[in-house]
Amino acid sequence: VDMSVFIPRLVEVYTVYEGIQYGLPWLGDAMIFPYNRQHFEDAGLDPAAPPTSWDQVVEMGHQLTTGERYGFSLMGGRQVQVMCTYAAALFAQDVNFYDDAGRPLFATPEGIAAMQTLADLVPISPPAAATWDIVAAAEAVAQGICSTEIQWPGILGTLLDPEAPVAGQMAYAPPPGRGPLGGWGAAISAYSQNKEATWLLMNYMTTPRIQKEYAARGYAITAEALFTDPEIQEIYPYAEAAGQAMATGYPWPRTQESVDVFTIMTEYCNAVVVGQEEPEAAARAMDAEVLQLRQERGLITE
């Protein structure tokens, strides 16, 4: 297998564990930054210059917010995407969830700043965004109610609808700084009784030619050259931005307690969005609760 055809970051994240490669990159995914070019022009902003930092997202968001139009579409409800938005603001500062010993970094200056960013997105989002999930936030952009969002590509189908109110108005950029990386790799179970056949199937599924075929059916891709392929860009105008996001994205921690950590983070992030907690207090409390959980499960190395 020619591993050079894949985005290197996806090989590292999707297939390698403790220095050993176990599989192949299969379905790529990373949060990107869709924005409405027409709204930018209306606000006197350069549509060719999307924000490259979260401070700029907030600053431009205030310029874009006018009347019944809002600068940002916040996935602010008590669901996992509000945590993803916090993570995007944290990762943009080159800080991940934990330090080398496994201690959370949410009470660091960067972690507190990310929570402040979440609070700063509230005034430039519709009031109802405090309850929004991924679908509601994406729909608000598709309807032209909101000008920008941080979003997963798989939910952007309504933006591509030629009948959508924003048809022909959208542009796409990688997230400010860097953002969360999703996606999947394909690997062979140690218990497989057909390892050779499985390897051949994995190789077949991930070749650029086959990836290009299944991209047209709605599947994600990992072969680097496809993200700038004109035929792929015709199907997915956000492809180049997604490829750039995947090249630098931070993955979620590979630990068994992650779902419980996400639940804790979701509660505190939503509390900031609805005004129940101040950003710094929420970040410190979230840090303490996650630290306790990881200590109880033996995941902190001194």
Side-chain angles (χ1 to χ4, degrees):
V1 177
D2 181 5
M3 299 303 296
S4 69
V5 304
F6 302 110
I7 292 178
R9 181 66 168 162
L10 301 187
V11 175
E12 174 191 353
V13 172
Y14 292 176
T15 74
V16 177
Y17 182 69
E18 295 184 346
I20 300 174
Q21 183 176 344
Y22 288 92
L24 297 172
W26 183 27
L27 301 177
D29 198 14
M31 295 189 92
I32 61 172
F33 191 81
Y35 65 98
N36 191 304
R37 292 177 299 184
Q38 184 60 55
H39 290 188
F40 268 53
E41 290 182 4
D42 294 344
L45 297 170
D46 183 356
T52 56
S53 71
W54 280 97
D55 285 344
Q56 288 184 355
V57 172
V58 174
E59 179 183 350
M60 291 182 180
H62 282 288
Q63 293 176 261
L64 290 160
T65 300
T66 177
E68 296 184 357
R69 180 183 294 174
Y70 292 87
F72 192 79
S73 186
L74 178 61
M75 298 182 284
R78 196 169 182 176
Q79 40 73 52
V80 72
Q81 298 304 331
V82 70
M83 181 278 299
C84 290
T85 304
Y86 170 82
L90 180 67
F91 295 169
Q93 303 172 80
D94 286 331
V95 174
N96 212 321
F97 282 7
Y98 310 125
D99 65 14
D100 291 340
R103 296 178 180 274
L105 295 170
F106 308 134
T108 62
E110 295 85 359
I112 294 169
M115 196 66 84
Q116 182 61 55
T117 294
L118 197 62
D120 291 342
L121 294 173
V122 174
I124 59 173
S125 299
T131 66
W132 281 358
D133 60 8
I134 187 172
V135 175
E139 185 63 20
V141 175
Q143 293 299 318
I145 297 168
C146 299
S147 303
T148 69
E149 61 180 330
I150 182 81
Q151 192 55 274
W152 298 100
I155 197 68
L156 298 181
T158 52
L159 293 183
L160 309 182
D161 185 345
E163 301 299 322
V166 297
Q169 298 180 12
M170 298 304 299
Y172 306 90
R178 62 198 304 177
L181 182 64
W184 297 267
I188 303 172
S189 169
Y191 301 100
S192 172
Q193 297 181 15
N194 299 285
K195 291 184 174 64
E196 184 174 345
T198 304
W199 173 251
L200 291 173
L201 176 61
M202 287 167 48
N203 188 13
Y204 173 80
M205 290 191 307
T206 57
T207 58
R209 179 178 66 84
I210 298 303
Q211 285 197 40
K212 188 170 182 176
E213 288 184 12
Y214 67 57
R217 298 178 174 87
Y219 288 88
I221 53 180
T222 56
E224 191 165 22
L226 293 182
F227 290 93
T228 53
D229 184 297
E231 293 180 31
I232 296 296
Q233 290 183 325
E234 183 68 23
I235 302 169
Y236 302 122
Y238 52 75
E240 185 171 4
Q244 293 169 348
M246 291 178 204
T248 61
Y250 269 160
W252 306 117
R254 299 176 180 178
T255 47
Q256 292 181 349
E257 91 300 350
S258 287
V259 172
D260 295 324
V261 169
F262 292 171
T263 298
I264 293 169
M265 294 177 67
T266 293
E267 291 175 356
Y268 282 104
C269 290
N270 174 255
V272 168
V273 169
V274 300
Q276 292 177 347
E277 293 273 3
E278 291 297 318
E280 181 172 350
R284 293 190 183 281
M286 183 170 77
D287 188 277
E289 193 166 337
V290 172
L291 176 62
Q292 180 180 353
L293 182 148
R294 289 178 62 79
Q295 285 175 328
E296 290 173 351
R297 300 193 184 180
L299 296 170
I300 306 295
T301 59
E302 300 298 338

